[in-house]
């Protein structure tokens, strides 16, 4: 309940403040839907804790960056530029300390992997550019040189991938933006594959936990040590997993691809049955189709390569007809 959670909250932030003196909380959870429950509870604990050394900042990442507009993270960084400036950084030369960092950013989304890494990358870049200007390595109105920027982005993208693999079993989502500064449909589709993989790995996590427990000499449920002979149940579970994976990939595409005022009217995961391009033995979805008021979005992707092989947006006025059953889209 709230009081029990608050006790843990107080212990945690007492420790953080004793280490860092000030904490600027940046929460990236959605302000609507399921995630707002976490965000509201977080804010309630901050209000009750009532510390002058905690700053609480909310930024609905998915709302601001909808339609693959990840550059809108700059709205957040512009809004907290005074917080970044006041926090300063550590600067030491041969004569001693010139200035010290006063506080830290504590950034979270829900799993604190993908959105979090994008925002941390942006904040750290601002601090680094400030340091370079102070050292005379960067003129006041210029940004990082392209070679330096690429190296910096690679470091942070690799950081996000390593943490994500340890925690979720896949590379980080949104890594193409962190790595290149651009968000592309191929990156979006790769995120869909990774999201589906993460969902599946959650079902397998019980066995990983059992392995850890065995290593530590902890008791392990016998059911996890004996292979299941219930083949039908396994088949049903796999079918259910595939269905959920398709739903998740469609939802990810809807969030990232369709921009307001357009709305998604329907989304489908399909198999390419084209007699020339399709694979007659294909059993799993290899295309996603989204329908909006204006367009039909089609993306082909290779599950083995985890990348989009081609994609297309077709305006509805260019479509002559759609035959249901096997999809046949006739374009004028």
């Amino acid at each position: 309940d709230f009081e029990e959670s608050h006790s843990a909250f107080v212990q945690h932030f007492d420790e953080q403040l004793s280490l860092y003196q000030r904490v600027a909380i940046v929460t990236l959870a959605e302000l609507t839907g399921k995630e707002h429950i976490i965000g509201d509870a977080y804010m309630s604990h901050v209000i009750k804790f009532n510390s002058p050394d905690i700053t609480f900042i909310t930024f609905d990442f998915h709302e601001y960056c909808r339609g693959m507009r990840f550059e809108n993270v700059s709205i957040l960084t512009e809004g907290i530029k005074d917080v970044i400036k006041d926090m300063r950084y550590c600067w030491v030369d041969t004569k001693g300390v010139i200035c010290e960092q006063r506080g830290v950013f504590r950034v979270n989304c829900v799993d604190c992997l993908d959105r979090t890494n994008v925002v941390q990358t942006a904040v750290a870049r601002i601090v680094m550019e400030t340091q370079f200007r102070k050292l005379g390595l960067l003129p006041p109105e210029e940004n990082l040189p392209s070679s330096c920027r690429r190296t910096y982005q690679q470091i942070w993208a690799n950081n996000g991938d390593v943490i994500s693999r340890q925690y979720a079993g896949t590379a980080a989502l949104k890594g193409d933006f962190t790595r290149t500064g651009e968000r592309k449909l191929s990156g979006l589709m790769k995120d869909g594959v990774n999201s589906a993989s993460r969902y599946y790995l959650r079902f397998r996590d019980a066995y990983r936990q059992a392995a850890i427990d065995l290593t530590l000499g902890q008791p392990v449920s016998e059911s996890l040590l004996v292979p299941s002979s219930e083949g039908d149940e396994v088949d049903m579970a796999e079918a259910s997993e595939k269905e959920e994976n398709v739903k998740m990939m469609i939802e990810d595409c809807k969030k990232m691809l369709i921009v307001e005022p357009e709305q998604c009217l329907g989304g489908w995961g399909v198999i390419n049955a084209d007699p020339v391009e399709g694979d007659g033995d294909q059993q799993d979805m290899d295309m996603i189709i989204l329908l909006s008021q204006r367009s039909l979005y089609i993306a082909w992707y290779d599950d083995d390569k985890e990348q989009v092989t081609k994609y297309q947006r077709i305006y509805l006025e260019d479509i002559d007809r759609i035959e249901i059953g096997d999809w046949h889209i006739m374009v004028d």
Side-chain angles (χ1 to χ4, degrees):
D1 58 18
F2 182 86
E3 291 303 325
E4 188 175 19
S5 296
H6 191 69
S7 175
F9 180 94
V10 169
Q11 290 181 53
H12 174 67
F13 273 95
D14 279 345
E15 179 186 48
Q16 298 303 298
L17 292 174
S18 69
L19 290 171
Y20 307 117
Q21 288 73 58
R22 299 180 186 176
V23 176
I25 295 170
V26 181
T27 176
L28 309 174
E30 296 175 5
L31 299 179
T32 58
K34 291 182 290 186
E35 291 188 6
H36 93 278
I37 299 171
I38 299 174
D40 288 353
Y42 197 0
M43 184 167 61
S44 297
H45 287 297
V46 171
I47 292 172
K48 184 173 181 180
F49 190 65
N50 193 27
S51 170
D53 297 319
I54 292 181
T55 304
F56 187 80
I57 302 151
T58 61
F59 182 78
D60 188 334
F61 187 99
H62 285 154
E63 180 62 31
Y64 279 98
C65 300
R66 189 181 300 278
M68 299 194 291
R69 295 196 297 263
F70 283 14
E71 66 275 8
N72 286 349
V73 169
S74 62
I75 297 172
L76 169 63
T77 55
E78 180 65 23
I80 63 173
K81 62 181 181 181
D82 290 338
V83 180
I84 298 174
K85 182 179 179 181
D86 291 342
M87 194 172 292
R88 305 196 301 186
Y89 45 84
C90 180
W91 185 1
V92 181
D93 66 7
T94 55
K95 296 181 180 179
V97 176
I98 298 175
C99 71
E100 294 180 334
Q101 183 172 332
R102 300 183 296 190
V104 293
F105 283 99
R106 187 187 189 282
V107 187
N108 73 276
C109 44
V110 174
D111 288 326
C112 304
L113 290 174
D114 311 309
R115 288 172 280 181
T116 295
N117 198 54
V118 170
V119 170
Q120 287 180 335
T121 304
V123 172
R125 179 182 54 79
I126 293 171
V127 175
M128 185 173 69
E129 289 179 348
T130 302
Q131 292 171 328
F132 282 179
R133 292 188 180 102
K134 290 289 185 181
L135 292 170
L137 300 175
L138 193 64
E141 300 301 324
E142 290 189 16
N143 295 320
L144 291 175
S146 58
S147 59
C148 181
R149 186 173 62 250
R150 282 195 299 271
T151 301
Y152 171 82
Q153 290 170 334
Q154 290 290 333
I155 290 171
W156 272 92
N158 292 341
N159 171 72
D161 284 345
V162 169
I163 295 173
S164 180
R165 285 195 182 95
Q166 182 184 32
Y167 176 63
T170 73
L173 308 187
K174 307 171 180 65
D176 58 323
F177 180 80
T178 307
R179 198 172 294 279
T180 67
E182 297 179 356
R183 184 60 165 161
K184 298 179 180 178
L185 185 57
S186 58
L188 168 66
M189 297 305 299
K190 187 172 182 178
D191 283 358
V193 172
N194 283 334
S195 291
S197 298
R198 286 182 179 182
Y199 192 86
Y200 170 74
L201 288 169
R202 290 174 191 168
F203 288 94
R204 305 295 301 176
D205 197 54
Y207 296 97
R208 178 165 54 178
Q209 185 63 52
I212 293 171
D213 289 339
L214 281 171
T215 303
L216 298 176
Q218 301 294 330
V220 177
S221 171
E222 186 175 346
S223 63
L224 294 175
L225 303 177
V226 179
S228 172
S229 59
E230 301 295 331
D232 292 341
E233 291 183 8
V234 172
D235 291 341
M236 290 179 64
E238 289 180 353
S240 178
E241 288 170 16
K242 287 184 178 180
E243 182 180 351
E244 289 297 329
N245 292 344
V246 171
K247 288 180 181 178
M248 290 179 63
M249 296 179 72
I250 291 174
E251 286 300 317
D252 284 344
C253 287
K254 285 164 59 177
K255 285 183 178 180
M256 303 302 298
L257 196 59
I258 298 182
V259 184
E260 292 182 352
E262 282 191 81
Q263 294 180 340
C264 185
L265 304 179
W268 300 270
V270 298
I271 298 173
N272 186 1
D274 187 281
V276 178
E277 296 183 354
D279 182 354
D281 297 325
Q282 178 72 17
Q283 298 294 317
D284 296 321
M285 175 195 70
D286 57 357
M287 296 173 62
I288 286 181
I289 296 178
L290 299 178
L291 176 66
S292 73
Q293 297 98 325
R294 297 182 58 193
S295 307
L296 193 70
Y297 298 84
I298 306 174
W300 293 258
Y301 73 94
D302 188 317
D303 193 39
D304 294 329
K305 297 179 180 178
E306 295 188 355
Q307 65 181 18
V308 171
T309 55
K310 60 179 179 178
Y311 50 87
Q312 187 175 12
R313 178 185 183 182
I314 306 173
Y315 289 99
L316 296 184
E317 56 264 30
D318 295 332
I319 298 177
D320 180 57
R321 70 182 185 272
I322 298 177
E323 297 178 3
I324 306 298
D326 289 339
W327 280 74
H328 296 284
I329 303 170
M330 310 301 177
V331 181
D332 290 335

